[in-house]
Amino acid sequence: MVILMGGGLGTQNLAASEMVAGVLAEAARRDICVSAICAAPTVLEKAGMLKSKRVTAFPDVQNELTDSVVDGGPAVVDGKIVTGRSAGVALQFAHELAKLLVGQQKANEVVANLYPEK
């Protein structure tokens, strides 16, 4: 799994990196899950990975996602692409990633342990 964290300057650096472009190309070739949160989905857009995919991103950059269908939800999964809207939804984003890695039941158990009932 490849996970790209967002943020203005960080996202610009990711988008400009040849190494990141190479990792994303290899992930696509191997059909590996790729995820991005906040502004980082724009890096996936630049890499050509979001064509016709349902996605979300930080509201200020959603208009840059022209190859995809912007959902705007907190965390969106479309096949092996997972996107998150912002740092404020990091738990929902992580829950979607966990479901892909270990399955729904185990992921739900982990989340339940984060918020145990009294």
Side-chain angles (χ1 to χ4, degrees):
M1 179 177 286
V2 176
I3 303 172
L4 301 179
M5 296 298 138
L9 185 56
T11 297
Q12 292 171 12
N13 290 335
L14 291 172
S17 170
E18 290 181 26
M19 182 182 72
V20 170
V23 167
L24 293 176
E26 183 67 10
R29 187 182 73 73
R30 291 182 174 193
D31 198 29
I32 292 172
C33 180
V34 175
S35 61
I37 191 168
C38 197
T42 59
V43 178
L44 302 183
E45 172 89 9
K46 181 181 176 189
M49 301 181 84
L50 298 184
K51 287 182 175 49
S52 301
K53 295 286 188 181
R54 275 182 50 258
V55 299
T56 191
F58 193 73
D60 289 353
V61 301
Q62 288 180 1
N63 63 334
E64 297 176 36
L65 304 175
T66 58
D67 287 344
S68 56
V69 177
V70 177
D71 178 296
V76 176
V77 179
D78 190 332
K80 292 195 174 182
I81 302 288
V82 182
T83 51
R85 188 176 56 224
S86 66
V89 299
L91 184 58
Q92 292 99 321
F93 178 70
H95 189 204
E96 295 301 334
L97 299 178
K99 286 194 279 187
L100 287 173
L101 289 171
V102 298
Q104 174 102 30
Q105 182 178 349
K106 183 64 175 172
N108 288 348
E109 289 171 14
V110 170
V111 170
N113 285 332
L114 293 173
Y115 299 101
E117 293 183 27
K118 294 182 181 187

